[in-house]
Amino acid sequence: QMCIRDRQSTMGKTYFLIKSSMKATIDPSTGGLVFLNEEQEEEKVNLTRQQLVSTQQDSSLTDINKNYYPLPSRLSLDERYKLAMSVGIECINEKELYDLLERKTHPICYDGFEPSGRMHIAQGVFKAINVNKLVDAGCIFIFWVADWFAMLNNKMGGDLEKIRNVGRYFIEVWKAVGMKMSNVKFLWASDEIGKNPDKYWLQVMDVARKNNIPRIVRCSTIMGRKEGEDLSVAQLLYPCMQCTDIFYLKADICQLGLDQRKVNMLAREYCDDIGKKDKPVILSHRMLPGLQEGQEKASKSDPSSAIFMEDDANEVKKKIKSAFCPEGIVEGNPVLQYVRYVVFERFSEVEIKRKEEWGGNATYRSYQELEADFVEKKLHPGDLKIALTEYLNKILQPVRDHFINDPEARKLLELIRSYKVTK
């Protein structure tokens, strides 16, 4: 609650007097502070009320949590544990996870995402698969829509309005691809932090106070930045905020990608610093690779490295056809990775269609069977790619239909496609 009232000059120096009864707000288009006088403040309140009424009359795009109604799991404790463990390539630690599931009907899982451009299949389908498993295990899954974080990391040029639109697009994709929304809640970081700013920022400062700069810099990879990259002060603040998110949301399980491991470990170390007994369990999922040779993960800035959730059938065919898939080689083969962690998670069997002279049709009821034939060169990369293309298109078709048939969703996608993707 401050505004520059006037200024005075004394001995060549300028001093600004602050009037505490007036306020400053953040301009969503620039992220900068805008100071308001009393008339402007009232005008802003009236405009916000009008926008709220308009939003309430809008389509389901704005009512993001309307299907939230947590349901308990019907599985046994051991089944819940096994299902949860199938999500992660790493769990820290397994006993804590088992005890948590035994103790709580609805453990809280959390993942945060920066809204930043179009969504690829690793974020869309693969994430929905993992969320659905945890929902079936009885968990509540909180998506932290990290709009302020995206602004700090200069996504979408730091334009908060664009960032919020991208966040809405992400949510629409997950709904269309079949994410089980009964136990899923989406929270905008800027809105939630604003509800209790004292609590949030005091803990951010405490996390910062208990860690040195090299420890925070080591966490910079969570933002998609290299450890030696020149960072802004805002980007140094980012890991302290992400660590705080875990406690602010009362998360029991950090269910993020393996690339977020460093900041999740920072949160567990912080528990030691403050004497907190119940540490968040880290359940890290694997990172699906990019489609080209040597790409550890898909990149939005390189369209050939990823299948995007609203790519048409021809685009999917073209990208998979050019994907790296050396004959008989499993290591570093993205086509096999997509078959294993996307297709076999959605379908009970995979059919390979080919001419009789090339062995005829074959049906695989497990990935292990398919991989064995691939290694023995009984299954050619070309035939595997054709099958992968067919199954990916089956998975993506409901998403395409949603963005074609829903007028608001279609308009939103057109807007997102007009944005320039930033690193």
Side-chain angles (χ1 to χ4, degrees), residues 77-78 80-103 107 252-254 261 265 268 279-284:
L77 173 60
D78 287 344
R80 292 171 65 204
Y81 172 73
K82 183 179 180 181
L83 191 57
M85 282 295 295
S86 71
V87 168
I89 190 174
E90 178 184 63
C91 178
I92 304 174
N93 69 43
E94 296 178 18
K95 185 181 185 304
E96 290 177 12
L97 176 60
Y98 190 90
D99 292 344
L100 174 66
L101 293 170
E102 184 176 32
R103 189 172 70 251
D252 301 303
I253 300 172
C254 300
R261 184 183 191 277
M265 288 301 299
R268 286 179 65 89
K279 299 179 180 180
V281 173
I282 302 174
L283 192 60
S284 303

Side-chain angles (χ1 to χ4, degrees), residues 388-418:
L388 176 59
T389 298
E390 179 183 346
Y391 284 98
L392 289 182
N393 278 322
K394 286 180 181 178
I395 293 170
L396 295 178
Q397 193 56 48
V399 180
R400 297 181 191 129
D401 291 343
H402 178 65
F403 283 101
I404 290 172
N405 298 327
D406 186 302
E408 288 295 328
R410 183 171 63 249
K411 182 179 177 181
L412 180 62
L413 178 58
E414 290 170 358
L415 186 64
I416 300 308
R417 281 176 165 165
S418 72

Side-chain angles (χ1 to χ4, degrees), residues 90 92 110-112 114 144 149 200 207-208 211 214-224 227 235-247 254-271 279-284:
E90 178 184 63
I92 304 174
Y110 130 89
D111 189 2
E114 286 185 2
W144 190 237
F149 291 77
Y200 185 85
V207 171
N211 289 279
R215 178 68 182 90
I216 298 301
V217 168
R218 286 202 301 275
C219 291
S220 63
T221 54
I222 66 173
M223 299 176 284
E227 198 167 311
Q235 288 166 332
L236 287 175
L237 183 64
Y238 189 115
C240 300
M241 292 173 65
Q242 185 168 327
C243 179
T244 297
D245 294 342
I246 296 166
F247 303 101
C254 300
Q255 204 294 283
L256 298 89
L258 196 59
D259 60 338
Q260 304 295 303
R261 184 183 191 277
K262 289 181 180 180
V263 76
N264 292 334
M265 288 301 299
L266 182 71
R268 286 179 65 89
E269 293 165 9
Y270 179 69
C271 289
K279 299 179 180 180
V281 173
I282 302 174
L283 192 60
S284 303

Side-chain angles (χ1 to χ4, degrees), residues 156-170:
M156 310 311 299
D159 187 321
L160 197 57
E161 183 178 355
K162 289 182 179 180
I163 290 167
R164 299 270 298 204
N165 285 333
V166 175
R168 292 166 61 220
Y169 153 75
F170 271 41

Side-chain angles (χ1 to χ4, degrees), residues 36-206:
L36 306 176
N37 59 35
E38 291 177 1
E39 291 181 0
Q40 290 173 319
E41 185 180 333
E42 181 62 28
E43 183 179 331
K44 177 177 173 59
V45 169
N46 290 334
L47 179 60
T48 301
R49 286 173 182 155
Q50 293 170 9
Q51 290 172 335
L52 180 59
V53 171
S54 175
T55 294
Q56 290 171 340
Q57 294 173 344
D58 201 356
S59 73
S60 62
L61 290 181
T62 54
D63 192 6
I64 60 176
N65 292 314
K66 69 175 183 177
N67 296 317
Y68 179 70
Y69 188 80
L71 301 172
S73 176
R74 296 181 178 181
L75 305 176
S76 69
L77 173 60
D78 287 344
E79 288 171 331
R80 292 171 65 204
Y81 172 73
K82 183 179 180 181
L83 191 57
M85 282 295 295
S86 71
V87 168
I89 190 174
E90 178 184 63
C91 178
I92 304 174
N93 69 43
E94 296 178 18
K95 185 181 185 304
E96 290 177 12
L97 176 60
Y98 190 90
D99 292 344
L100 174 66
L101 293 170
E102 184 176 32
R103 189 172 70 251
K104 282 194 169 186
T105 303
H106 290 305
I108 296 176
C109 300
Y110 130 89
D111 189 2
F113 69 92
E114 286 185 2
S116 54
R118 296 166 67 194
M119 180 187 281
H120 52 63
I121 205 166
Q123 294 173 301
V125 178
F126 188 53
K127 188 64 194 180
I129 288 168
N130 288 335
V131 169
N132 288 351
K133 287 180 177 180
L134 289 165
V135 167
D136 288 341
C139 297
I140 288 173
F141 206 104
I142 294 179
F143 276 102
W144 190 237
V145 191
D147 48 356
W148 272 0
F149 291 77
M151 186 173 70
L152 284 175
N153 205 14
N154 202 36
K155 296 297 176 72
M156 310 311 299
D159 187 321
L160 197 57
E161 183 178 355
K162 289 182 179 180
I163 290 167
R164 299 270 298 204
N165 285 333
V166 175
R168 292 166 61 220
Y169 153 75
F170 271 41
I171 294 166
E172 285 302 299
V173 171
W174 278 321
K175 289 179 179 179
V177 82
M179 185 178 284
K180 297 179 179 179
M181 294 296 174
S182 62
N183 290 34
V184 175
K185 180 182 283 189
F186 297 94
L187 299 176
W188 295 95
S190 56
D191 292 348
E192 296 303 311
I193 293 171
K195 291 177 182 178
N196 200 345
D198 289 352
K199 178 183 177 182
Y200 185 85
W201 292 112
L202 282 172
Q203 190 153 30
V204 170
M205 288 189 286
D206 195 50

